[in-house]
Amino acid sequence: MSANPPADLGEARAALVRFGQKMAADRLVVGSAGNLSVRLGDTVLITPSGVAYDQITEASICVLDAEGNLLEGEGKRSSEWPMHRRIYEHTSARAVVHTHSPFATAVSTVCDELPAIHYTILRLGGPTVRVAPYTTFGSDGLAGHAAAALDDRAGALLQNHGAIVYGKSLDEAYDRALLLEWLAEVYWRARLIGSPRILSETELDDVSRQARALRYPGGE
């Protein structure tokens, strides 16, 4: 553990407040549900538990060491810290966004995985988005299931719960949260009409080749 907090601690606090408010405005959460975090070296900053996003201040952001001990902040550490910690331990994540967005949550209750309803699913790391089996919120079991669902993926659905995504920055993680909710909504709406056509492995391979040829980020 570093002896001193990173120099850009203030910037990270401000970003978490800003994106928390944006998350509520974009209807990815209701009330104090969900959480966001940023990793800076061995330090993790995470939104506090039980506080509505329009009431979160920079002073209430929790600054934690690698073991989850509170270093700074007036708020209570999020109950989903174990899930954030497991993701940081097992991925290259620099930021994590956990939402209770309505379409992602709805789809998580009826599918084992979200299929390739649109080629932008590749931006989440593969041809499907896995659904982590339901486990009580805040538990080590949920953390383990989420980490397994994120193996070689940047996003997953949490059964009867919500969604979890990560990125190399808070901007990227948040964009992935929006994308996952959009994909879930498209799939949900398509299922209302009939049986959706799902993109094949060959078609997705063609998308990846085209994205590389055009130097598009993320394989979209």
Side-chain angles (χ1 to χ4, degrees):
M1 185 67 206
S2 302
N4 298 309
D8 45 354
L9 210 59
E11 181 180 341
R13 282 194 183 100
L16 287 170
V17 171
R18 184 171 68 254
F19 275 95
Q21 293 170 348
K22 182 173 174 57
M23 191 162 67
D26 288 336
R27 300 190 66 224
L28 299 182
V29 294
V30 174
S32 62
N35 28 75
L36 310 95
S37 69
V38 173
R39 180 180 178 181
L40 298 174
D42 294 328
T43 304
V44 174
L45 293 84
I46 191 167
T47 49
S49 179
V51 183
Y53 290 95
D54 61 354
Q55 297 176 19
I56 292 177
T57 65
E58 292 184 31
S60 64
I61 297 295
C62 299
V63 182
L64 311 174
D65 65 17
E67 302 303 317
N69 298 307
L70 184 66
L71 301 177
E72 297 180 26
E74 299 171 358
K76 179 182 178 182
R77 188 186 74 184
S78 171
S79 61
E80 296 294 11
W81 158 246
M83 182 165 59
H84 288 250
R85 177 181 181 179
R86 189 71 65 90
I87 292 169
Y88 287 126
E89 288 176 345
H90 294 282
T91 72
S92 59
R94 308 302 295 180
V96 174
V97 174
H98 167 43
T99 75
H100 288 189
S101 47
F103 289 101
T105 303
V107 169
S108 80
T109 68
V110 296
C111 296
D112 293 326
E113 62 180 18
L114 177 64
I117 190 72
H118 191 273
Y119 59 83
T120 51
I121 199 169
L122 293 174
R123 291 174 54 190
L124 296 174
T128 62
V129 174
R130 302 185 187 102
V131 178
Y134 178 79
T135 315
T136 305
F137 76 92
S139 66
D140 289 336
L142 177 59
H145 285 319
L150 287 169
D151 184 32
D152 295 325
R153 298 288 193 276
L157 299 178
L158 307 175
Q159 193 173 50
N160 296 86
H161 186 153
I164 186 80
V165 297
Y166 71 85
K168 62 180 180 293
S169 67
L170 192 52
D171 293 81
E172 181 177 66
Y174 191 80
D175 283 347
R176 286 172 170 170
L178 288 174
L179 172 62
L180 181 49
E181 176 67 357
W182 180 79
L183 289 168
E185 181 178 0
V186 170
Y187 184 69
W188 179 82
R189 291 186 182 279
R191 286 281 296 266
L192 290 178
I193 303 169
S195 180
R197 179 184 181 277
I198 303 303
L199 294 170
S200 69
E201 182 178 351
T202 299
E203 289 169 328
L204 291 173
D205 287 343
D206 289 342
V207 170
S208 295
R209 279 192 291 272
Q210 182 75 334
R212 287 193 295 270
L214 297 175
R215 298 182 179 180
Y216 282 7
E220 72 273 36

